[in-house]
Amino acid sequence: MTSMDNSIDERVKEMSGFRRALLRPELGAGIGAVFVFILFLTLAFDSGMFAPAGVLNWSTVAAQFTVIAVGACLLMIAGEFDLSMGSMIGFSGMIIAILSVPLGLPLWLAILLTFVIAMALGALNGWLVVKTGLPSFIVTLAFLFILRGLTIWSAILFTNRTLISGVGEKVPGDPIAWLFGGKILSGLFVWLAERGVIATFTQGSRAGQPVIEGLPMVIVWAIGLVVFGHLLLTRTKFGNWIFASGGDSQAAAYTGVPVRRVKISMFVLTAFCATVLATCQVTEFGTAAADRGLLKEFEAIICVVIGGALLTGGYGSVIGAFLGAIIFGMVQQGLYFANVEGSLFRVFLGSILLIAVILNTYIRRIITGEK
Amino acid sequence: MTVPIIELRNVEKHFGSVIALSGVSFDVRPRECHCLLGDNGAGKSTLIKIMSGVHRPTKGDIYIEGERHEFDSPRDGMHAGVATVYQDLAMIPLMSVSRNFWMGHEPEIGVWPFKRLDKAKCDQVTMEEMRKMGINLRGPDQAVGTLSGGERQTVAIARAVYFGARVLILDEPTSALGVRQTANVLASIDRVRKTGVGIVFITHNVRHAMAVGDRFTVLNRGATFGTADRGKVTAEELQDMMAGGQELAALSESLEGTI
């Protein structure tokens, strides 16, 4: 191909490798992740943060962020927000608990029904946004309050409390609950413990067992969703439609992209992701609390923005959002390991968000050639 | 005489009590650039929306290669080979040229559920088509935002032609462009015309129209003054017809002929 194309336009400036690398949405988050890693390696190396159990601890937190960040990321690239994600986490968890404990349904049925309800609500969110043409910011802000209110109200209606317990007893033996609250590869960790790679408990009821029981399913979900989201976005026709819908919905519609369908399905995906996280929490803790998922919508959005996505849509990366979630998890748990006052976490969060947004604006100018 | 690809006969369009078009006939033949001139509000947009199937005419008929057709939606228009390139809505700046080019027509390989974008084909065809139009890209991944306005129009034109347009409607493609970029777009029009596509070039700039037009139709207040062939009409006459003659002549005099 290049043999035919030897006429180089003198007006097209060669881009330096550095500038070209800057245009990859993941770059900033990648550097940030390495920086945070090194920071805590020096700050908290002796604290056990980088021992197997410590790594598992912050990886699990990062995985929780990742699960919701993937949904928020694809939705943001499609040009919309979902501020009701956090409320959806509380709501889904509560519905699972209500269906299975006071109403006595089998847990697997409760989980499946909850997924159906949550995804239908996600579709309703999306339908309202595309139908009315209102900003998703307002529509989903309404759902933030509606869902949270319904969660508290329904919990009190059925049990007179805002925390429903008793789900835990139904987890053993349930055909699908382990998919969310279970742990895999326990055999591997026993094997590793036998060879002294990881420590074992020396006292208590679990003496002799490895300190790591297994890999929590939330980590498996996180990895699965990242792979799915990344392939969907970059390797499929639908991915191109996601970019197009967020980049300029009118132009996309003129070329035949089903913009409404794309946007609604991304709202359904965020509801799905929120419900995955809710189900993991409920099946692991055995309880549902009405205040779960508080502020998670913003944390998801922050992960996505740190990951290089533009708030205005049309640009971003799932891998970036994943790196954003890793930074998030590492810092939140790392401050604890490093014995730093936990409230500083929010200071960090605000600062990094600001830096990320400023950086993204700069990158956008390079891409679009604006001054 | 060649059969027109698309022909409108005595088309009227009423919006409630407003008569947007009162009996307009217009046709496009292969290998020609038919310029549609008119001032703002003359009915140009309504006419092209009828041609592309967005609006249905209140009265009058549409013929595709001599056969009567009814357009119920823009999709029908696309099927008949009518493609419209809108000035502001042609391209998405944040996306790459390749992704923009294939938007809505993405080729796929593999079997469900493992169907994926045929990226190699996307990139190769895009580079080839862009080269034909005289645009040198750094690569297929170059963002459209880095292209000039004229180049963006050209990409949109190339895209429409590649996906089978037989009639290409260009809605004021040069109105926001500089001299050099306008020349690029006019050159693209000429290239496309030579491949056998019929072009409707909408503009209110007589000089741009004279540069590439084969025939000229002027719309004024929903009616046409008929169609003139190249060489049988002067720029001044077109300008006069667009503005409705008299008033402009008076104004032109007071401005010493600078309009």
Side-chain angles (χ1 to χ4, degrees):
Chain A
M1 227 163 70
T2 40
S3 59
M4 288 165 66
D5 182 27
N6 42 24
S7 59
I8 287 168
D9 193 330
E10 78 287 356
R11 292 167 306 150
V12 180
K13 266 196 286 186
E14 261 310 303
M15 256 189 170
S16 71
F18 172 70
R19 260 168 97 88
R20 220 180 356 241
L22 263 186
L23 293 185
R24 291 204 62 83
E26 308 87 355
L27 182 87
I31 294 173
V34 171
F35 172 75
V36 167
F37 193 81
I38 293 171
L39 180 75
F40 284 107
L41 214 51
T42 50
L43 221 64
F45 186 72
D46 305 328
S47 64
M49 183 174 172
F50 295 95
V55 172
L56 190 72
N57 172 294
W58 55 260
S59 309
T60 306
V61 174
Q64 290 166 355
F65 286 126
T66 306
V67 168
I68 50 173
V70 170
C73 177
L74 292 175
L75 182 65
M76 195 186 286
I77 296 173
E80 307 291 343
F81 284 109
D82 188 355
L83 293 185
S84 67
M85 261 193 125
S87 297
M88 184 63 91
I89 294 169
F91 180 78
S92 294
M94 192 54 74
I95 297 296
I96 292 174
I98 288 173
L99 287 177
S100 60
V101 180
L103 297 182
L105 290 182
L107 188 53
W108 62 268
L109 186 59
I111 292 174
L112 288 182
L113 281 175
T114 303
F115 268 98
V116 171
I117 295 168
M119 287 161 78
L121 282 167
L124 175 64
N125 249 334
W127 182 79
L128 282 171
V129 169
V130 299
K131 197 73 189 167
T132 60
L134 289 169
S136 48
F137 176 82
I138 290 298
V139 173
T140 58
L141 183 62
F143 271 87
L144 181 154
F145 286 102
I146 293 171
L147 290 178
R148 184 65 70 189
L150 282 177
T151 307
I152 299 170
W153 173 78
S154 58
I156 290 177
L157 182 73
F158 281 98
T159 60
N160 245 336
R161 300 171 57 203
T162 56
L163 186 131
I164 298 184
S165 49
V167 184
E169 286 81 67
K170 307 188 84 173
V171 171
D174 189 83
I176 65 169
W178 67 271
L179 275 174
F180 299 91
K183 291 190 164 88
I184 56 163
L185 301 179
S186 337
L188 174 72
F189 289 106
V190 171
W191 184 81
L192 285 174
E194 278 165 5
R195 268 145 201 82
V197 181
I198 58 172
T200 51
F201 287 107
T202 50
Q203 51 194 2
S205 60
R206 289 168 63 194
Q209 291 176 20
V211 286
I212 298 172
E213 207 184 318
L215 206 59
M217 280 307 285
V218 70
I219 293 184
V220 179
W221 275 100
I223 294 169
L225 281 168
V226 167
V227 171
F228 168 78
H230 179 69
L231 292 180
L232 179 74
L233 189 63
T234 58
R235 301 285 161 79
T236 70
K237 177 164 90 174
F238 198 82
N240 209 34
W241 292 356
I242 295 175
F243 279 120
S245 302
D248 187 335
S249 55
Q250 273 268 293
Y254 274 129
T255 55
V257 174
V259 174
R260 291 174 164 213
R261 206 174 82 208
V262 170
K263 290 197 171 185
I264 292 176
S265 37
M266 289 303 102
F267 274 104
V268 172
L269 180 72
T270 53
F272 174 83
C273 290
T275 307
V276 167
L277 182 57
T279 314
C280 287
Q281 290 180 338
V282 170
T283 49
E284 196 194 337
F285 304 147
T287 60
D291 64 347
R292 243 175 231 155
L294 213 61
L295 289 181
K296 283 282 181 227
E297 60 278 341
F298 291 113
E299 293 173 354
I301 290 172
I302 293 170
C303 289
V304 176
V305 173
I306 293 175
L310 289 177
L311 285 161
T312 43
Y315 187 76
S317 128
V318 173
I319 301 293
F322 177 48
L323 291 169
I326 290 176
I327 293 178
F328 223 124
M330 223 178 340
V331 174
Q332 186 180 319
Q333 298 310 102
L335 291 178
Y336 165 77
F337 277 106
N339 257 328
V340 179
E341 171 60 36
S343 48
L344 282 178
F345 173 61
R346 303 208 170 149
V347 177
F348 162 81
L349 208 63
S351 319
I352 200 167
L353 176 65
L354 205 56
I355 294 169
V357 173
I358 293 170
L359 212 72
N360 287 354
T361 316
Y362 171 66
I363 289 171
R364 179 210 178 91
R365 281 195 195 135
I366 301 181
I367 306 169
T368 57
E370 290 168 24
K371 294 287 149 349
Chain B
M1 196 173 104
T2 42
V3 181
I5 309 173
I6 185 168
E7 182 179 7
L8 309 185
R9 285 190 203 157
N10 294 316
V11 165
E12 288 187 30
K13 179 69 189 177
H14 303 179
F15 293 105
S17 62
V18 179
I19 301 173
L21 292 175
S22 55
V24 172
S25 295
F26 186 85
D27 67 328
V28 189
R29 299 179 199 141
R31 296 181 168 274
E32 77 160 349
C33 173
H34 192 157
C35 297
L36 181 61
L37 295 121
D39 208 354
N40 294 340
K44 290 175 297 182
S45 303
T46 311
L47 190 66
I48 61 168
K49 280 182 177 156
I50 288 174
M51 264 193 277
S52 57
V54 177
H55 291 325
R56 297 192 63 167
T58 313
K59 269 186 206 157
D61 300 311
I62 303 175
Y63 295 83
I64 302 287
E65 296 193 321
E67 279 179 43
R68 207 166 154 267
H69 262 70
E70 299 228 351
F71 286 173
D72 289 324
S73 72
R75 199 154 280 277
D76 292 347
M78 278 185 220
H79 271 295
V82 181
T84 311
V85 174
Y86 294 94
Q87 192 198 334
D88 314 327
L89 302 166
M91 294 275 126
I92 299 179
L94 283 168
M95 286 166 71
S96 70
V97 176
S98 172
R99 279 181 177 270
N100 261 293
F101 190 90
W102 290 92
M103 188 165 65
H105 302 273
E106 296 84 352
E108 289 181 300
I109 43 172
V111 283
W112 195 89
F114 301 107
K115 275 197 174 168
R116 57 196 187 279
L117 204 59
D118 190 348
K119 194 108 192 342
K121 181 182 174 189
C122 284
D123 290 352
Q124 195 208 329
V125 172
T126 306
M127 288 304 274
E128 220 171 278
E129 294 299 314
M130 290 303 100
R131 200 160 39 233
K132 279 189 206 161
M133 294 302 256
I135 296 182
N136 291 308
L137 297 177
R138 260 197 301 272
D141 287 333
Q142 188 178 344
V144 161
T146 59
L147 300 180
S148 72
E151 287 171 327
R152 286 184 211 189
Q153 290 284 330
T154 302
V155 177
I157 292 170
R159 174 174 70 187
V161 172
Y162 183 81
F163 291 110
R166 291 191 299 157
V167 175
L168 189 59
I169 303 171
L170 305 176
D171 189 10
E172 311 228 344
T174 57
S175 67
L177 303 181
V179 180
R180 175 84 184 262
Q181 296 184 20
T182 300
N184 286 343
V185 172
L186 297 182
S188 304
I189 291 177
D190 189 45
R191 273 201 193 93
V192 171
R193 169 172 56 188
K194 284 181 181 139
T195 65
V197 174
I199 292 168
V200 181
F201 177 23
I202 291 144
T203 182
H204 50 240
N205 188 318
V206 175
R207 283 193 302 124
H208 296 172
M210 293 302 271
V212 287
D214 296 303
R215 289 194 296 156
F216 307 88
T217 298
V218 177
L219 270 183
N220 191 349
R221 306 177 71 87
T224 137
F225 292 111
T227 300
D229 286 336
R230 181 178 192 84
K232 295 191 177 147
V233 67
T234 65
E236 289 70 33
E237 285 170 319
L238 286 175
Q239 185 86 51
D240 258 12
M241 283 192 269
M242 262 168 71
Q246 290 305 318
E247 307 105 82
L248 197 79
L251 182 64
S252 175
E253 225 159 78
S254 68
L255 292 173
E256 292 168 359
T258 45
I259 300 182

